[in-house]
Amino acid sequence: MNNLRFQALQDAVSRRPQSFHNEQKKSTLFGSHVFTKKVMRTFLTKQAFIEVNEAIEKGTKIKRTVADHVAASMKDWAISMGATHYTHWFQPLTGATAEKHDAFFDFDSNGDSLEHFDGSQLVQQEPDASSFPSGGIRNTFEARGYTAWDPSSPAFIYGTTLCIPTIFVSYTGEALDNKTPLLRALNAVDNAATQVAKYFDKNVTHVDATLGWEQEYFLIDKALAASRPDIMLAGRTLVGHPPPKGQQLDDHYFGSIPSRAITFMRELEYECMLLGIPVKTRHNEVAPNQFELAPIFEEANLAVDHNALLMDIMGKVASKHHFKVLLHEKPFSGINGSGKHNNWSLSTSTGINLLSPGKTPMSNLQFLTFFITTIKAVHNYESLVRSSVASAGNDHRLGANEAPPAIMSIFIGSQLSAVLEDLEHVSKGKLSPKEKTDLKLNVVGKIPEILLDNTDRNRTSPFAFTGNKFEFRAVGSNQNCAIPMTVLNTIMAKQLMEFKSEVDALIKSKKLKKDDAIFNVLREYIKTTKNILFDGDGYSSAWEKEAARRGLSNLRKTPEALAVRVQNDIIALFEEMNVMNGVEQKARYEIQIEQYVQCIEIESLVLENIVNNQILPTAFKYQHMLVENVSGLKQIYGDTFSKHAPVAMSTIENISNLTDKLHAACETLAKERSKSNSMSKLDDRAQMYAKNVLPLFDTIREAVDGLELIVDDSTWPLAKYRELLFLR
Ligand code: ADP
Ligand code: MG
């Protein structure tokens, strides 16, 4: 039978789990393909090691002679591990990762072959960058781009290639990637948080942001996925009727993992271990064939790299196991989408988690300081936080059922709310000794107990405090964490700086003691940020109304969300924090808007192809069969034939209605698409795609899904939801 779906089904049904054996203990595997500090200690001279270490810890410059030495050692190590090539590994604004491999192999001046890799190749490279998106930066400055070594993320070997994490910047210094602004934001939050942490402990020298992501994904049989142009080209299904059994039974969540999937996961985890990605948790998610993988949290820069790397190797390992990984935020209509929770906190050089309460009242005041400043930061920049997770894919998830809404709010739980209420009533100015004792004993002192018991977790909140970290849940499964992390750490840096100057001003002008001043500033923060706190059901329509009343933004679609990034106050914020200049911000805005338009444009073309080349011909073929049936009946029964063919007759008519509708909707789609494309301004184009093109997808889908329900199953060309989701 010439039907790809049935060949695919046969392939998928006959699959056996691939074998995967590995006897090594996880702890010996971990990081064995990484140029870690431990490896450096053996391969580098003592002086070189000290210099590189300083560069890692403090961002100091590495001397050229040292770079040569590091490069030589890296090369020796990599070759001893079987590597033949090296690449600068970076994260251009496409959101994916990029690499260009060069062999170590070279000729010396005598023409003899050798393996070569020196400091200049380690430190800087010039990839042919003309085809990476630059949002006009390169045109404006006519500058070329280069990649530069980021020593704070260690080099690693993947396959036979030494990968050197780098940033990607233009010759005029503008960042052309997602990493450079992230590093600047991390630097800003480090400086600001260190200043504030010093109120509580003078020994703190720096503060790291930490990130623990949780990656959700779907696993689909590779052959079945290949039978669907929408999955292959758009990463999601554009048509498909939901199966009679979906996720209603909740029997997949935390259920036993299917054996084919588990073998894939074991190999994926093995690869992660070699690369030093500390994967720890795996489990089924809510939807059938949906899973999650989460590592132990790390310093944010490294965690961002590790997530980007993971998304890349997931696809490679999956392919070996005849799976396709779907990272799209909403691959199936009517079935849960995928997110990537970003667990975030701040950690001091003295090993303290600043969002975790300690044993003493003072350390709990420190906790409250960072806890409340985070609330204040998100409160002040809620629309920017929303815009940090804007993408065409995530639009299908945010605001849809069972996903954190497009409205940003913070969940802190009833007990911490009670603590804030108590703090709100501390007196202005100097606190009386009684008040202080009372606060210390009965409010601040009780926090650790409270948090032990902080179990009333709210799953519907986009930004939730979960005991010792905030969990930003609106991030999409397919996104690079660098963007939300850049935003979060930048607004936090800004808020901490403001906090510091307010506290210092009170100490100076009102002669308040340090903790009195801190209590005073926190009290005002609590009073002014109530709007952002919400402990109720974030999915309810009541909340939408309430949020509007509170004046919170509800930016449902990417174009409106992205517009926030080019507001004057936002441009000024990133400039002030030295994270991005105006040109860099506008470039990113343009690129993301363009990606949005392109995504919907591609989807609409794919949809049209599916309808014209697969659905309509199939529907007509089946209709023709029915027509033959009816004309056969007419031969037998003569004029009374219609009595004997009511079902066939009505189905023929149904098919005509649906195919007419489909055809008309596709024509409108093409018309609206070209109307949108004729807009010269990108913003207008994006608005029109959102308003006029995208809604037609639903009309088309409805007709296709209607046909799916009546057309002979044995001729239907696309793998059905039940096959994609329930085949194990
Ligand atoms: P769950 O939310 O599933 O109950 P946990 O609360 O233990 O699980 O952790 C969820 C995620 O939060 C994990 O990926 C973990 O690495 C991360 N995490 C834990 N502590 C921190 C922290 N201080 N900073 C950043 N991420 C953290
Ligand atoms: Mg979570």
Side-chain angles (χ1 to χ4, degrees):
M1 195 184 309
N2 190 21
N3 181 324
L4 200 52
R5 171 176 161 225
F6 287 95
Q7 287 171 19
L9 270 173
Q10 259 171 15
D11 283 353
V13 168
S14 59
R15 296 243 201 264
R16 296 282 164 272
Q18 294 288 105
S19 58
F20 176 73
H21 295 289
N22 161 56
E23 306 302 331
Q24 266 173 286
K25 264 212 299 236
K26 288 248 160 84
S27 52
T28 58
L29 279 180
F30 185 72
S32 58
H33 286 199
V34 183
F35 198 61
T36 55
K37 281 191 187 169
K38 204 166 140 199
V39 179
M40 277 194 251
R41 231 182 243 121
T42 30
F43 276 79
L44 297 182
T45 62
K46 201 168 168 203
Q47 189 50 37
F49 177 76
I50 291 171
E51 265 199 50
V52 174
N53 206 31
E54 272 204 4
I56 295 172
E57 304 275 328
K58 297 187 193 141
T60 49
K61 272 223 157 79
I62 292 175
K63 278 201 292 288
R64 178 55 204 269
T65 46
V66 175
D68 277 336
H69 174 54
V70 175
S73 314
M74 236 186 225
K75 182 196 74 187
D76 291 346
W77 168 76
I79 289 173
S80 78
M81 301 281 294
T84 55
H85 288 65
Y86 66 91
T87 180
H88 275 198
W89 182 80
F90 59 105
Q91 297 169 38
L93 297 171
T94 53
T97 55
E99 46 196 83
K100 172 185 157 237
H101 298 194
D102 282 308
F104 289 124
F105 172 82
D106 208 347
F107 294 112
D108 67 8
S109 49
N110 299 325
D112 293 328
S113 64
L114 53 87
E115 330 280 357
H116 178 81
F117 181 62
D118 67 20
S120 64
Q121 288 155 315
L122 166 66
V123 171
Q124 195 166 313
Q125 248 191 0
E126 246 182 86
D128 173 17
S130 52
S131 48
F132 291 114
S134 65
I137 289 180
R138 269 196 305 269
N139 296 345
T140 319
F141 292 84
E142 292 182 279
R144 291 167 302 167
Y146 66 94
T147 52
W149 180 32
D150 164 21
S152 67
S153 181
F156 57 89
I157 295 169
Y158 187 60
T160 52
T161 304
L162 169 68
C163 302
I164 300 152
T166 53
I167 57 168
F168 181 35
V169 288
S170 75
Y171 267 95
T172 43
E174 272 83 19
L176 294 172
D177 65 353
N178 284 316
K179 274 274 296 248
T180 310
L182 173 70
L183 288 170
R184 294 179 190 149
L186 293 173
N187 188 40
V189 84
D190 173 5
N191 291 337
T194 302
Q195 291 303 312
V196 173
K198 275 183 195 288
Y199 281 141
F200 306 95
D201 180 358
K202 290 258 178 303
N203 297 318
V204 174
T205 55
H206 68 265
V207 172
D208 279 336
T210 52
L211 165 64
W213 40 262
E214 305 168 55
Q215 179 73 53
E216 292 183 339
Y217 61 97
F218 280 85
L219 271 186
I220 305 298
D221 185 88
K222 194 169 150 185
L224 288 172
S227 81
R228 301 210 33 150
D230 48 358
I231 295 185
M232 294 312 286
L233 298 176
R236 70 171 178 120
T237 61
L238 296 167
V239 295
H241 201 278
K245 177 186 163 175
Q247 60 192 52
Q248 307 94 325
L249 303 177
D250 272 339
D251 51 357
H252 190 65
Y253 195 51
F254 284 176
S256 81
I257 301 175
S259 52
R260 252 185 90 193
I262 216 100
T263 335
F264 153 77
M265 288 180 192
R266 283 181 44 224
E267 183 158 356
L268 176 63
E269 285 167 10
Y270 170 79
E271 294 286 348
C272 287
M273 279 288 145
L274 297 181
L275 295 169
I277 308 175
V279 286
K280 187 160 171 77
T281 314
R282 59 176 172 213
H283 61 77
N284 287 352
E285 262 303 325
V286 180
N289 279 358
Q290 190 190 26
F291 306 95
E292 179 185 296
L293 179 140
I296 297 170
F297 70 92
E298 300 173 282
E299 182 277 313
N301 177 37
L302 193 56
V304 165
D305 277 4
H306 279 167
N307 181 252
L309 188 55
L310 172 94
M311 293 202 285
D312 186 29
I313 56 183
M314 264 181 138
K316 292 181 178 149
V317 177
S319 190
K320 269 170 99 173
H321 292 260
H322 304 291
F323 279 125
K324 180 161 175 69
V325 171
L326 303 186
L327 290 173
H328 193 281
E329 283 82 6
K330 191 78 179 172
F332 301 99
S333 151
I335 303 279
N336 256 31
S338 301
K340 176 151 57 198
H341 295 177
N342 276 203
N343 294 273
W344 169 90
S345 188
L346 293 169
S347 164
T348 65
S349 51
T350 51
I352 301 295
N353 175 355
L354 291 169
L355 287 172
S356 180
K359 293 204 171 69
T360 62
M362 208 52 189
S363 64
N364 290 326
L365 183 56
Q366 171 172 277
F367 157 73
L368 281 173
T369 297
F370 284 90
F371 175 66
I372 295 168
T373 31
T374 310
I375 295 174
K376 176 85 168 157
V378 174
H379 168 268
N380 289 2
Y381 292 104
E382 47 97 12
S383 59
L384 176 63
V385 173
R386 156 66 181 107
S387 86
S388 76
V389 295
S391 75
N394 216 16
D395 279 359
H396 297 291
R397 182 174 155 264
L398 298 183
N401 258 350
E402 303 295 314
I407 308 164
M408 290 300 119
S409 65
I410 305 179
F411 167 83
I412 61 169
S414 53
Q415 285 140 322
L416 278 168
S417 299
V419 170
L420 297 196
E421 214 163 280
D422 285 335
L423 283 178
E424 190 187 337
H425 296 108
V426 298
S427 27
K428 271 205 167 141
K430 192 168 175 307
L431 276 62
S432 70
K434 181 180 171 310
E435 195 175 17
K436 254 189 176 167
T437 319
D438 198 44
L439 267 180
K440 280 189 178 156
L441 288 180
N442 295 324
V443 182
V444 182
K446 287 246 167 78
I447 290 172
E449 287 166 49
I450 285 176
L451 288 188
L452 277 180
D453 197 31
N454 193 27
T455 46
D456 56 337
R457 289 200 181 180
N458 182 325
R459 289 272 151 203
T460 65
S461 177
F463 203 92
F465 184 71
T466 50
N468 55 3
K469 62 194 179 286
F470 279 96
E471 185 168 344
F472 185 21
R473 299 189 179 126
V475 184
S477 47
N478 209 4
Q479 293 181 313
N480 186 316
C481 302
I483 300 174
M485 280 298 114
T486 299
V487 165
L488 191 55
N489 288 297
T490 302
I491 61 175
M492 195 58 190
K494 164 84 178 161
Q495 195 52 55
L496 286 164
M497 278 166 70
E498 235 169 73
F499 175 81
K500 171 95 174 40
S501 66
E502 288 172 61
V503 170
D504 286 351
L506 285 180
I507 295 173
K508 218 166 145 199
S509 65
K510 298 246 166 72
K511 308 251 174 319
L512 288 186
K513 276 210 181 123
K514 187 176 67 194
D515 22 341
D516 286 351
I518 290 174
F519 274 121
N520 270 278
V521 175
L522 292 181
R523 184 194 57 230
E524 293 312 304
Y525 282 9
I526 292 168
K527 279 191 183 154
T528 52
T529 56
K530 287 185 179 161
N531 269 357
I532 198 80
L533 299 179
F534 180 63
D535 287 5
D537 179 3
Y539 299 164
S540 69
S541 55
W543 168 232
E544 215 174 327
K545 285 198 198 102
E546 164 69 9
R549 200 188 55 74
R550 292 187 187 191
L552 296 174
S553 64
N554 185 5
L555 308 170
R556 278 200 205 81
K557 289 247 154 52
T558 293
E560 28 177 349
L562 287 180
V564 175
R565 303 256 195 101
V566 282
Q567 279 170 204
N568 289 338
D569 57 328
I570 300 302
I571 302 252
L573 165 77
F574 284 105
E575 285 191 329
E576 184 195 346
M577 294 295 109
N578 285 321
V579 173
M580 283 182 275
N581 64 29
V583 174
E584 289 170 320
Q585 294 183 68
K586 286 183 185 143
R588 275 160 186 73
Y589 167 75
E590 253 179 56
I591 288 166
Q592 282 197 265
I593 281 277
E594 193 162 17
Q595 280 169 345
Y596 175 79
V597 167
Q598 281 168 349
C599 173
I600 301 177
E601 182 175 25
I602 291 170
E603 287 184 347
S604 78
L605 291 167
V606 172
L607 192 54
E608 239 179 281
N609 278 333
I610 290 177
V611 169
N612 290 330
N613 304 332
Q614 295 185 282
I615 305 300
L616 287 179
T618 306
F620 291 144
K621 238 183 261 165
Y622 181 55
Q623 195 184 36
H624 181 71
M625 227 172 77
L626 295 174
V627 169
E628 281 189 340
N629 168 283
V630 171
S631 56
L633 291 172
K634 198 169 175 184
Q635 275 178 22
I636 299 173
Y637 294 108
D639 284 348
T640 62
F641 82 96
S642 63
K643 254 201 334 220
H644 301 280
V647 179
M649 295 286 284
S650 70
T651 309
I652 289 171
E653 194 166 327
N654 256 342
I655 291 178
S656 289
N657 286 340
L658 289 168
T659 49
D660 280 357
K661 243 192 228 161
L662 256 188
H663 181 70
C666 280
E667 290 218 309
T668 321
L669 183 74
K671 228 185 279 158
E672 290 298 342
R673 192 176 52 226
S674 58
K675 250 204 254 164
S676 312
N677 286 345
S678 70
M679 293 287 124
S680 56
K681 274 181 65 194
L682 207 49
D683 307 11
D684 298 337
R685 212 179 302 163
Q687 294 281 0
M688 286 182 64
Y689 263 98
K691 238 195 248 138
N692 305 334
V693 177
L694 202 54
L696 291 166
F697 284 30
D698 292 338
T699 321
I700 293 174
R701 173 171 212 137
E702 210 178 299
V704 172
D705 293 357
L707 285 167
E708 185 186 322
L709 286 184
I710 52 179
V711 168
D712 177 8
D713 183 60
S714 72
T715 60
W716 194 255
L718 302 171
K720 294 188 171 178
Y721 267 31
R722 62 164 189 267
E723 294 150 358
L724 294 168
L725 289 167
F726 288 95
L727 259 181
R728 302 277 150 90

